[in-house]
Amino acid sequence: MKKRKIAFVINEFGFFSSHRKKLVHYLSSFYDVTVITDLSNYTAPEENERYQLIHLENNKHLKNPFKFYFFSKKFLNIVNSIQPEHIFYVSLENCVFGAVMSRFLNVKKSFFLITGIGSFLEIDSLKKFLVKNIFCLCLRKFSEKEKTIYIFQNNNDAKDIENVISTKIEKAIIRGNGIDINYFSYTNRNIENNKIAIKALYASRLLDEKGVNEFFDAAKELKNESYNIDFSIAGSYDKTNKLSISQKIFEEIQNSNEIKYLGNVENQLMRDLYHSHDIFILPSYREGLPVAALEAASTGMPLIMPNVPGCNECIINDCNGYLIEPRSIESLKKAIKEIYKNKFLISKFSKQSRLIIEKNFEISIIGKKYKE
């Protein structure tokens, strides 16, 4: 029997590889799947994969209207050659693009995957105000209700987007992309010897909104208070990104005696990094659903994150970690101290982290929801 065709539109291959590769691999058992993404920096051949990759340059850099026209034309040609029944547009920017393109495509359904809205709702400049209104206009005017379904990773994002575009939408909540619990295998953390240092890990891009400043400040203060904790930061820094931390802070992190900066760690090395640390900390201001936190939990890491959308989907407070106050260094320090002074909690939280992933986020559970 011939498989039905579906396509995913994802800006960067790296983002696909780190966040959705396992999901697409799972779905390709049931569908003929094509991933349209930027393969500019991708040279290694795919091995034992059932899906197809097609190159389309990243649209984030196409600010020129003429270039955008040719980009759109190329995209339409690719989709018409594939002829998928369903298209999944991944990220808010791609959803806006997909809303416009859907008027020119003959597909049964367009799925808009809002992976997170970050600072989209925060208006602190004229540019942000204009971008927000253009996005909302496109989503409101070009989304055909009978042919469009929105997929969110948490209820807060769903409510906020529905409010901001001022219209009812057909939507589903699917919590993430699924975790391969066999790959991100479990190791129980059992630390009760006060002489052994606790190893705390932050893993994310070095953006202000990811809370890296709060993590760094908390680490410095706790080390100055003589807490036997080893702090590590793993994540890429892009000085051209306006959302990144300042160059001054980045240099302080690089040269710090209080934390170890590991740089940008490749996806295939993250599993070992989780296994070599004891607790995972991500003081992000808002998330769709943080993949690194779910992967860390699958390996048995207790979590410390703020009680904000996305982050609070990963933690049952005082069960597999602690929910803290957002943007609060003192609240973060308090949670770390609580685990440090009661090291038996690490083993307890470790087991619960794994159980939460097995019950709610395992790849087959999430994959079945996409099939539905």
Side-chain angles (χ1 to χ4, degrees), residues 8-24 35-42 51 53 58-60 88-95 113-117 153 176-178 204-205 207 210 236 264-267 287-292 295 370:
F8 282 79
V9 183
I10 303 175
N11 273 337
E12 298 173 354
F13 175 80
F15 182 62
F16 157 71
S17 183
S18 62
H19 285 66
R20 280 180 174 74
K21 185 175 180 179
K22 293 291 185 181
L23 174 63
V24 169
V35 179
I36 304 170
T37 188
D38 191 336
L39 300 172
S40 300
N41 300 314
Y42 169 67
Y51 52 81
L53 293 170
N58 193 325
N59 68 12
K60 288 184 177 180
F88 293 83
Y89 296 94
V90 180
S91 82
L92 181 58
E93 295 87 349
N94 271 344
C95 292
L113 276 66
I114 309 292
T115 55
I117 57 179
Q153 298 191 107
N177 312 297
S204 185
R205 290 178 295 163
L207 307 179
K210 296 293 185 180
S236 61
N264 183 36
V265 179
E266 297 295 328
N267 294 330
E287 294 282 337
L289 199 66
V291 172
E295 292 172 348
Y370 270 91

Side-chain angles (χ1 to χ4, degrees), residues 163-291:
N163 287 335
V164 81
I165 66 175
S166 304
T167 186
K168 280 287 182 182
I169 56 178
E170 186 176 353
K171 60 183 181 292
I173 307 297
I174 303 180
R175 298 166 72 191
N177 312 297
I179 300 298
D180 184 345
I181 61 174
N182 294 318
Y183 181 79
F184 292 104
S185 56
Y186 173 68
T187 300
N188 181 259
R189 274 74 175 174
N190 189 5
I191 299 175
E192 295 188 16
N193 186 343
N194 288 329
K195 294 181 180 179
I196 299 176
I198 292 176
K199 296 182 178 180
L201 174 66
Y202 167 102
S204 185
R205 290 178 295 163
L206 304 190
L207 307 179
D208 284 326
E209 62 186 29
K210 296 293 185 180
V212 64
N213 292 308
E214 286 81 357
F215 178 88
F216 185 41
D217 288 342
K220 288 188 292 183
E221 292 181 18
L222 288 171
K223 294 296 281 188
N224 288 335
E225 294 172 26
S226 299
Y227 281 86
N228 191 18
I229 305 172
D230 293 337
F231 293 95
S232 298
I233 292 178
S236 61
Y237 177 69
D238 180 3
K239 64 181 180 181
T240 65
N241 188 338
K242 293 181 180 179
L243 299 178
S244 293
I245 59 174
S246 69
Q247 180 73 27
K248 180 176 179 294
I249 296 297
F250 177 59
E251 290 173 0
E252 287 183 19
I253 289 173
Q254 285 183 303
N255 301 320
S256 173
N257 294 320
E258 289 82 13
I259 67 102
K260 184 177 182 180
Y261 177 56
L262 305 174
N264 183 36
V265 179
E266 297 295 328
N267 294 330
Q268 63 269 25
L269 301 177
M270 286 303 298
R271 176 178 59 176
D272 293 338
L273 191 63
Y274 298 138
H275 282 142
S276 64
H277 288 77
D278 304 309
I279 58 175
F280 182 87
I281 302 172
L282 181 65
S284 182
Y285 301 168
R286 182 169 186 149
E287 294 282 337
L289 199 66
V291 172

